[in-house]
């Protein structure tokens, strides 16, 4: 009895077990919410060791995919994280414009599920009339079916923290390096410098 | 999938996405205004010590401090 005490404490409550059960279909038009328990594993375990509780598999630690709401939600939930800080956490906004590699992409509630790679550029979060702008150095944006948008960036700064002089100086240096570059790698690095400084310039002066 | 499609210029030069991403971030950090730039320096500085071994003999440890 006491052997199982620890397992009972860790086991999810019966309500969430019920929700995780594969036979319940919440919104049958959408894909099935996957069950947490690996049925085949549990069955074969019971055959081999009927007296021991089956160990949990990595699958059982995963949260099932949240169901897609049938009506388009009114607001977008944004999570914007950096390696060292969470910039925006679970904020409900009207629209986010992300700098995807193939252009600025506007994300509204009900946007199709997308994974977008970000290029150095402007990220703007629109809430009512206020717009918060960040310059993002690169990263990814994951737009989920339930209108939750996760944006991960390596470096992102509010645009008023950028120094125009340093940008122009850096631009001049990078162009010089590009002209003087010999190996492919040097050329690539210089080209990256030119691209990023260009993007910074456009974002600051284009306002 | 871009298996035969256009490859990015940095990939064809032999650079990995990780390296590209870190270079971009370093450039952005370099262009910050003053209090933010020093914060970035303290945040991103990496300290490590390297020791060269030769013929089984440990050389002198060298400490590096890098902000990139």
């Amino acid at each position: 009895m006491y052997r199982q005490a620890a397992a009972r404490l860790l086991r999810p409550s019966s309500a969430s077990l019920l929700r995780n059960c594969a036979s319940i279909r919440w919104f049958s038009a959408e894909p099935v919410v996957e069950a947490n328990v690996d049925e085949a594993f549990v069955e074969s375990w019971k055959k081999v060791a009927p007296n021991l509780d089956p160990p949990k598999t990595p699958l059982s630690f995963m949260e099932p995919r949240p169901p897609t709401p049938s009506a388009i939600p009114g607001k977008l939930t944004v999570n914007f994280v950096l390696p060292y800080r969470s910039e925006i956490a679970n904020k409900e906004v009207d629209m986010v414009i992300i700098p995807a590699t193939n252009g600025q992409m506007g994300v509204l509630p009900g946007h199709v599920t997308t994974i977008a790679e970000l290029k150095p550029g402007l990220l703007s979060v629109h809430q009512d009339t206020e717009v918060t702008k960040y310059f993002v150095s690169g990263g990814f944006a994951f737009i989920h079916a339930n209108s939750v948008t996760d944006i991960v960036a390596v470096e992102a700064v509010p645009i008023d923290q950028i120094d125009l002089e340093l940008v122009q100086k850096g631009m001049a240096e990078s162009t010089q390096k590009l002209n003087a570059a010999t190996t492919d790698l040097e050329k690539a690095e210089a080209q990256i410098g030119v691209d990023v400084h260009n993007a910074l310039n456009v974002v600051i002066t284009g306002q | 999938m871009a298996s035969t499609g256009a490859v990015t210029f940095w990939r064809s030069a032999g650079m990995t996405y990780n390296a590209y991403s870190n270079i971009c971030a370093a450039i952005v950090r370099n262009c910050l205004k003053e209090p933010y730039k020093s914060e970035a320096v303290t945040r991103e500085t990496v300290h490590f010590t390297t020791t060269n071994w030769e013929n089984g003999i440990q050389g002198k440890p060298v400490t590096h401090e890098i902000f990139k």
Side-chain angles (χ1 to χ4, degrees):
Chain A
M1 184 181 81
Y2 291 115
R3 173 172 64 85
Q4 294 183 7
R8 274 191 215 286
L9 281 171
L10 289 172
R11 210 170 288 160
S13 68
S14 54
S16 58
L17 262 179
L18 204 59
R19 209 181 313 132
N20 291 341
C21 182
S23 58
I24 293 186
R25 312 263 308 236
W26 285 80
F27 299 98
S28 10
E30 311 299 328
V32 176
V33 169
E34 291 99 57
N36 263 9
V37 177
D38 193 348
E39 306 288 353
F41 175 76
V42 169
E43 309 250 331
S44 40
W45 177 275
K46 291 233 184 298
K47 281 192 208 123
V48 175
N51 294 327
L52 294 173
D53 276 336
K56 297 184 83 170
T57 51
L59 194 66
S60 61
F61 288 100
M62 282 181 62
E63 303 261 330
R65 185 187 298 184
T68 313
S70 42
I72 296 178
K75 293 267 196 184
L76 196 62
T77 314
V78 177
N79 295 315
F80 182 25
V81 295
L82 303 174
Y84 50 87
R85 183 174 67 232
S86 157
E87 202 55 63
I88 303 177
N90 276 329
K91 188 162 172 222
E92 307 246 317
V93 299
D94 296 321
M95 172 171 76
V96 171
I97 302 185
I98 61 176
T101 42
N102 31 20
Q104 298 284 114
M105 183 194 289
V107 182
L108 291 159
H111 196 283
V112 67
T113 311
T114 311
I115 300 179
E117 184 191 338
L118 305 179
K119 67 176 181 217
L122 184 67
L123 173 94
S124 36
V125 180
H126 299 247
Q127 166 66 328
D128 296 330
T129 47
E130 52 176 79
V131 182
T132 327
K133 296 186 184 164
Y134 299 91
F135 184 86
V136 164
S137 78
F140 292 90
F142 303 89
I143 305 161
H144 303 285
N146 55 354
S147 291
V148 169
T149 306
D150 297 318
I151 306 170
V152 291
V154 182
E155 189 67 57
V157 294
I159 51 178
D160 47 15
Q161 291 182 10
I162 306 172
D163 191 347
L164 185 58
E165 276 182 36
L166 290 173
V167 171
Q168 289 167 339
K169 206 171 73 162
M171 172 68 115
E173 278 177 26
S174 297
T175 337
Q176 227 180 7
K177 272 192 213 154
L178 187 56
N179 292 331
T182 45
T183 67
D184 263 346
L185 201 56
E186 277 177 29
K187 278 193 206 138
E189 284 184 19
Q191 183 63 52
I192 296 172
V194 169
D195 287 342
V196 178
H197 285 113
N198 233 338
L200 278 160
N201 211 349
V202 165
V203 165
I204 305 182
T205 55
Q207 302 313 308
Chain B
M1 265 288 284
S3 36
T4 50
V7 178
T8 47
F9 66 90
W10 42 268
R11 178 70 71 180
S12 57
M15 200 187 285
T16 60
Y17 178 79
N18 219 337
Y20 163 73
S21 191
N22 284 330
I23 291 174
C24 288
I27 292 170
V28 173
R29 271 179 233 125
N30 255 324
C31 293
L32 293 175
K33 284 188 185 147
E34 216 0 83
Y36 308 109
K37 191 164 179 183
S38 358
E39 282 172 20
V41 170
T42 49
R43 193 203 320 135
E44 300 288 332
T45 308
V46 177
H47 293 255
F48 56 94
T49 312
T50 51
T51 314
N52 262 334
W53 289 72
E54 213 168 312
N55 286 329
I57 301 170
Q58 182 179 13
K60 189 160 187 293
V62 179
T63 309
H64 305 259
E65 181 185 308
I66 296 182
F67 162 62
K68 226 183 180 276

